[in-house]
C-alpha cells in the first residue's frame, strides 16, 4: 500500500506535466523525426537519437524527454515499411518481419501486412508502457536475480531459435549459425585482447564487424540484387489488395499471440545487453512453435508479422526498466538515451535509484510519453502508408539506385571509413550465395548477434564458477544451477527439440528447387575452408590469452563436424535432394515460363 500511496500521486502529476501544449508539440516532432529515420533502412533508433544529442544541451528536461521518447517509440513501428515493402530490415529489431512481411508485399498484400504490423506495434507499445508502470518500483529485486549464468542461459535460449529457422536441412542451419558466431568473434578478444582473424596490419578488423553492416549485407544486398535481376515491381500484382481492416482483423484473431509476444518483448527488454537484435527472433520462433499449421511461415503468413512486431515495440518499455532503475542501458539506443538525459537542463536528472527517489514524477512522465507516442506514431504511420505502400508498384530498377545509396550511407555511418563499404559488399556476396543455396540467413544473423554475449557470459561464468567450486562443491553447483537457470535449461531443450522437429515445415528462404551437385558443393567447401582457417587462427593464440581461444575453437569444431557431415551426405545423396537447393535453377524455370507468356523478364 505504501508503494501505491507514493506511485498514484506521482502518476497524476506526471499526466498533468505532459499535457502542456509545448510538451505535446515536441512529442509529435519526435514522432515525425522517428518516422523519417525508421523508414530509411539500417538507421534505427541509435542513429536517430545520435542526431538529437547536439540539441539536448541545456534543453528543458520535459520537452527534451518528449522529443527523445517520441523518436524511440516510433522507430520500431516505422521500420516496418522497409522490412515489408522492400525486404530490407529497417533496423536490427525488424529482421524477422522480413521473412513473412516481404512475401506478402510481393503477393500484393502490403496493406494487410502493414496494418497487422501497426496494430501489433501499437498493442506491444502499450503493453510495454503498462509493464513499465507496474514494475518501475517492484522490478529492482527481479532484475538483480539475473547473474552471469542466467544471462548465459538467456543467450543460449536465443541461439536455440536456430533450430526453428534451420530450414529443410537442419545441419545447414547449425553450420550457418556457427559461421555467424565465428564472424562475430573477428577482432580483439573480450578477455585478454588477443586478435582473432585480424592483425595489426588490418586495423579495421581489430574492432570487429558492426551489426548494421552485417544485417544490411546479409539481407538487404541479396534482396535488392534478386529484384534487380527480375526487373519488375516488388509486388506481383498491380493492386495492393488486402485492405487495412483485414490486417486489423488478423491481429484480433491472433490477439493472444500478440499478448504472449509482447510479454516476451518486455521480458527480454528488461535484461541489459540483449535488446532488439534478439527479441524479434525469439518471438518469431515462439510464433512458429505455437502455431497449429506451420507450412505458410517464411512465405507470407501474417502471424509471422504479428509476433515479432508485438515484441519489438514492447521491448522499448522493458528496456527502460534497467535504464531508469539502475542506469544500465537495455540496448544501444538506451545507452544514447542515458547520455542525452545527462545533458538536459542543469544536469539535475540522473538515471538510477536516485531518479526514483528524487524525480518519480519525471520517471512516470516518461511512461505516459511512451504510451502516447505509440498511439500518435501508429496514427501517423497509417496516414502515411497509402503513399509509401505504392512503392511496391514502381519498377524496382528505378528504386534500386536510391536503396543502394541509403544502405551504403547507413553502413558508412558505423565508422565512416571506406572499409565499411568493402565489408558491406563482402558480406553482401556471402548473403547472395547463402540465399542461392538455401542456407539459413536468419540463423547466421542470430549467431553473429549473440557471439559477443555468448563469449562474454561464458568466460565470466567459467571464472566465477571456478572460484566458487574451489570454495566448495555445493557452493559451485548452487551458483551454476540456480532455479532460474534450471527453468531456462528446460525451456531451451524443449525449444531445440520442438524446433528441429518442425524446421522442415519452415521455409525461411522460401521454396528453392534442387539443382546440380557442383555449385552447392563448391560453396560448402568454401565455408569449410573459412571455418578451418578460423580454427587454425584461434588455435595459435598463446596460453596466457587462452580464454580468447576457447570459444572460437569450440564453435569452429562444431562447424567442422557439421561441414564433414554435409560433405558425406552430399557425396551419397542424389541431385534431387534438398541438400543441392539452388535458386538459379528455379529462376531459370521462371524465366522460361514468363517468356512463354510473352512477358519480359530479365534474369541475366
Amino acid at each position: 500500500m505504501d508503494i501505491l500511496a507514493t506511485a498514484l500521486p506521482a502518476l497524476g502529476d506526471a499526466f498533468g506535466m505532459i499535457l502542456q501544449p509545448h510538451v505535446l508539440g515536441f512529442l509529435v516532432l519526435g514522432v515525425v523525426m522517428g518516422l523519417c529515420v525508421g523508414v530509411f533502412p539500417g538507421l534505427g533508433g541509435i542513429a536517430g537519437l545520435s542526431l538529437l544529442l547536439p540539441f539536448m544541451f541545456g534543453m528543458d528536461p520535459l520537452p527534451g524527454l518528449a522529443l527523445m521518447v517520441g523518436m524511440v517509440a516510433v522507430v520500431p513501428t516505422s521500420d516496418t515499411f522497409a522490412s515489408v515493402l522492400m525486404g530490407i530490415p529497417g533496423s536490427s529489431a525488424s529482421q524477422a518481419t522480413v521473412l513473412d512481411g516481404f512475401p506478402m508485399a510481393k503477393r500484393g498484400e502490403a496493406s494487410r501486412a502493414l496494418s497487422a504490423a501497426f496494430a501489433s506495434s501499437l498493442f506491444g507499445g502499450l503493453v510495454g508502457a503498462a509493464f513499465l508502470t507496474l514494475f518501475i518500483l517492484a522490478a529492482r529485486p527481479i532484475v538483480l536475480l539475473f547473474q552471469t549464468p542466467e544471462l548465459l542461459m538467456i543467450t543460449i535460449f536465443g541461439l536455440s531459435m536456430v533450430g526453428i529457422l534451420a530450414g529443410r536441412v537442419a545441419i545447414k542451419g547449425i553450420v550457418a549459425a556457427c559461421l555467424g558466431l565465428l564472424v562475430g568473434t573477428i577482432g580483439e578478444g573480450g578477455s585478454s585482447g588477443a586478435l582473432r582473424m585480424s592483425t595489426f596490419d588490418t586495423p579495421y578488423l581489430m574492432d570487429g564487424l558492426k551489426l548494421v553492416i552485417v544485417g544490411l549485407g546479409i539481407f538487404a544486398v541479396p534482396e535488392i540484387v534478386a529484384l534487380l535481376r527480375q526487373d519488375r515491381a516488388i509486388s506481383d500484382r498491380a493492386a495492393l489488395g488486402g485492405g487495412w481492416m483485414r490486417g486489423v482483423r488478423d491481429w484480433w484473431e491472433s490477439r493472444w499471440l500478440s499478448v504472449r509476444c509482447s510479454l516476451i518483448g518486455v521480458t527480454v527488454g528488461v535484461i541489459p545487453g540483449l535488446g532488439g537484435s534478439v527479441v524479434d527472433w525469439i518471438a518469431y520462433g515462439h510464433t512458429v512453435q505455437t502455431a497449429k499449421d506451420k507450412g505458410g511461415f517464411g512465405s507470407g503468413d501474417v502471424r509471422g508479422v504479428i509476433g515479432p512486431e508485438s515484441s519489438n515495440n514492447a521491448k522499448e518499455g522493458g528496456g527502460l526498466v534497467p535504464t531508469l532503475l539502475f542506469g544500465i542501458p537495455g540496448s544501444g539506443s538506451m545507452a544514447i538515451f542515458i547520455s542525452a538525459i545527462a545533458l538536459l537542463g542543469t544536469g539535475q536528472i540522473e538515471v538510477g535509484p536516485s531518479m526514483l527517489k528524487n524525480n518519480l514524477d519525471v520517471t512516470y512522465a516518461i511512461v505516459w510519453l511512451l504510451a502516447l507516442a505509440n498511439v500518435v506514431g501508429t496514427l501517423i504511420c497509417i496516414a502515411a502508408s497509402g503513399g509509401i505502400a505504392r512503392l511496391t508498384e514502381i519498377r524496382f530498377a528505378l528504386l534500386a539506385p536510391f536503396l543502394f545509396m541509403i544502405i551504403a550511407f547507413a553502413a558508412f555511418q558505423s565508422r565512416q571509413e571506406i572499409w565499411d563499404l568493402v565489408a558491406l559488399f563482402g558480406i553482401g556476396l556471402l548473403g547472395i550465395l547463402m540465399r542461392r543455396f538455401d542456407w539459413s540467413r536468419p540463423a547466421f544473423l542470430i549467431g553473429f548477434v549473440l557471439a559477443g554475449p555468448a563469449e562474454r557470459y561464458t568466460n565470466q561464468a567459467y571464472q566465477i564458477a571456478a572460484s566458487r567450486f574451489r570454495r566448495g562443491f555445493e557452493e559451485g553447483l548452487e551458483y551454476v544451477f540456480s532455479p532460474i537457470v534450471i527453468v531456462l535449461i528446460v525451456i531451451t531443450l524443449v525449444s531445440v527439440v520442438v524446433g528441429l522437429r518442425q524446421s522442415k515445415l519452415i521455409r525461411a528462404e522460401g521454396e528453392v528447387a534442387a539443382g546440380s551437385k557442383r555449385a552447392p558443393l563448391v560453396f560448402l567447401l568454401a565455408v569449410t575452408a573459412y571455418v578451418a582457417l578460423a580454427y587454425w587462427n584461434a588455435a595459435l593464440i598463446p596460453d596466457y590469452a587462452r580464454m580468447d581461444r576457447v570459444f572460437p575453437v569450440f564453435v569452429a569444431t562444431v562447424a567442422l563436424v557439421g561441414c564433414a557431415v554435409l560433405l558425406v551426405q552430399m557425396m551419397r545423396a542424389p541431385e534431387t535432394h534438398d541438400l543441392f537447393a539452388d535458386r538459379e535453377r528455379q529462376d531459370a524455370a521462371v524465366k522460361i515460363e514468363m517468356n512463354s507468356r510473352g512477358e519480359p523478364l530479365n534474369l541475366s
Side-chain angles (χ1 to χ4, degrees):
M1 294 302 295
D2 291 339
I3 293 176
L4 288 178
T6 305
L8 290 179
L11 271 171
D13 293 342
F15 188 66
M17 290 165 63
I18 70 164
L19 289 182
Q20 301 175 67
H22 70 288
V23 175
L24 293 176
F26 276 104
L27 179 71
V28 173
L29 177 61
V31 167
V32 173
M33 292 175 68
L35 172 63
C36 296
V37 169
V39 165
F40 292 113
L43 292 183
I46 297 177
L49 284 173
S50 299
L51 294 174
L52 289 181
L53 275 178
F55 303 99
M56 294 294 109
F57 284 102
M59 193 173 181
D60 289 340
L62 210 56
L65 287 170
L67 190 64
M68 289 191 294
V69 172
M71 174 171 284
V72 168
V74 80
V75 166
T77 304
S78 59
D79 63 14
T80 308
F81 283 116
S83 300
V84 170
L85 300 180
M86 304 170 191
I88 303 170
S91 69
S92 60
S94 62
Q95 292 157 353
T97 307
V98 174
L99 298 182
D100 288 288
F102 188 49
M104 290 181 70
K106 291 197 287 187
R107 287 205 308 260
E109 295 183 337
S111 296
R112 178 188 177 192
L114 288 172
S115 59
F118 293 153
S120 306
S121 295
L122 173 60
F123 180 77
L126 294 177
V127 167
F131 175 87
L132 185 57
T133 304
L134 295 174
F135 288 91
I136 207 162
L137 295 177
R140 183 185 178 93
I142 299 174
V143 175
L144 289 178
L145 287 175
F146 277 78
Q147 301 179 63
T148 303
E150 287 79 8
L151 294 172
L152 176 60
M153 279 310 306
I154 286 287
T155 305
I156 294 174
F157 175 65
L159 283 170
S160 73
M161 291 297 107
V162 169
I164 200 67
L165 297 167
R168 291 169 289 185
V169 183
I171 193 70
K172 286 170 71 173
I174 294 171
V175 173
C178 289
L179 185 61
L181 285 166
L182 289 174
V183 172
T185 61
I186 291 175
E188 291 184 353
S191 180
S192 303
L195 296 180
R196 284 89 63 95
M197 297 301 290
S198 60
T199 66
F200 291 108
D201 294 327
T202 56
Y204 180 81
L205 292 178
M206 288 173 60
D207 290 334
L209 297 174
K210 301 299 182 184
L211 175 59
V212 63
I213 291 176
V214 175
L216 289 173
I218 210 71
F219 274 106
V221 173
E223 295 301 335
I224 291 176
V225 170
L227 286 168
L228 265 177
R229 296 182 70 198
Q230 295 176 13
D231 195 21
R232 56 180 173 80
I234 295 173
S235 175
D236 295 334
R237 305 178 183 180
L240 291 176
W244 292 104
M245 291 310 299
R246 185 178 177 188
V248 175
R249 285 197 301 270
D250 288 330
W251 169 79
W252 179 250
E253 291 169 2
S254 303
R255 58 191 179 276
W256 295 115
L257 169 66
S258 187
V259 170
R260 295 194 302 273
C261 289
S262 296
L263 294 177
I264 289 173
V266 295
T267 303
V268 174
V270 163
I271 301 168
L274 290 184
S277 305
V278 180
V279 65
D280 56 331
W281 293 118
I282 295 178
Y284 187 81
H286 171 77
T287 301
V288 175
Q289 288 174 342
T290 56
K292 293 181 180 178
D293 51 327
K294 304 174 175 64
F297 287 101
S299 56
D301 192 312
V302 71
R303 292 171 297 179
V305 174
I306 292 171
E309 287 299 316
S310 298
S311 66
N312 69 23
N313 266 57
K315 71 104 174 38
E316 297 298 337
L320 281 168
V321 171
T323 302
L324 297 179
L325 266 63
F326 314 121
I328 300 173
S331 63
S333 59
M334 289 296 108
I336 306 294
F337 189 79
I338 290 176
S339 303
I341 287 179
L343 303 176
L344 292 173
T346 58
Q348 72 271 27
I349 300 178
E350 182 181 353
V351 294
S354 62
M355 188 170 184
L356 298 181
K357 182 179 179 180
N358 304 324
N359 301 105
L360 188 60
D361 53 348
V362 176
T363 307
Y364 276 118
I366 294 175
V367 176
W368 285 113
L369 288 169
L370 183 65
L372 188 58
N374 274 284
V375 175
V376 174
T378 301
L379 293 175
I380 292 178
C381 283
I382 291 174
S385 294
I388 297 176
R390 296 195 178 276
L391 289 172
T392 58
E393 297 179 14
I394 300 174
R395 193 161 152 262
F396 197 78
L398 303 177
L399 288 176
F402 176 72
L403 293 178
F404 268 125
M405 180 190 70
I406 291 297
I407 66 171
F409 173 77
F412 188 72
Q413 290 307 300
S414 62
R415 295 186 201 169
Q416 298 185 358
E417 296 183 33
I418 193 64
W419 288 104
D420 290 330
L421 303 182
V422 175
L424 172 68
F425 290 106
I427 297 293
L429 177 61
L430 175 63
I432 290 170
L433 294 174
M434 291 183 74
R435 180 183 183 274
R436 172 178 172 177
F437 298 118
D438 195 30
W439 285 61
S440 177
R441 289 178 293 165
F444 174 90
L445 197 59
I446 288 176
F448 178 83
V449 167
L450 293 179
E455 182 176 16
R456 182 170 62 254
Y457 296 142
T458 300
N459 290 341
Q460 292 175 356
Y462 171 79
Q463 292 171 352
I464 298 174
S467 174
R468 297 290 179 92
F469 274 113
R470 280 194 293 269
R471 296 182 199 170
F473 186 74
E474 291 185 0
E475 185 177 345
L477 280 181
E478 185 179 349
Y479 174 74
V480 174
F481 294 105
S482 68
I484 297 177
V485 169
I486 293 173
V487 171
L488 289 172
I489 289 174
V490 172
I491 294 174
T492 301
L493 289 175
V494 171
S495 172
V496 170
V497 172
V498 174
L500 290 176
R501 288 179 59 186
Q502 298 172 352
S503 63
K504 293 185 178 181
L505 300 173
I506 310 304
R507 299 290 186 264
E509 299 288 353
E511 293 288 346
V512 184
S516 64
K517 279 191 173 186
R518 182 177 178 181
L521 185 59
V522 170
F523 180 66
L524 174 61
L525 290 174
V527 170
T528 306
Y530 177 82
V531 172
L533 179 62
Y535 178 92
W536 173 78
N537 179 267
L540 293 178
I541 295 175
D543 287 340
Y544 68 80
R546 62 184 180 278
M547 295 305 296
D548 289 337
R549 180 178 63 198
V550 172
F551 185 77
V553 165
F554 173 76
V555 173
T557 302
V558 174
L560 285 173
V561 171
C563 290
V565 172
L566 284 174
L567 282 171
V568 172
Q569 290 180 344
M570 283 186 170
M571 297 299 291
R572 295 181 175 181
E575 285 191 354
T576 55
H577 195 277
D578 289 338
L579 282 166
F580 304 107
D582 190 344
R583 205 176 290 270
E584 287 296 304
R585 176 70 62 89
Q586 182 174 302
D587 288 345
V590 172
K591 179 180 180 181
I592 293 172
E593 179 184 352
M594 297 292 284
N595 287 338
S596 67
R597 295 204 303 245
E599 299 179 27
L601 182 67
N602 181 18
L603 288 167
S604 57

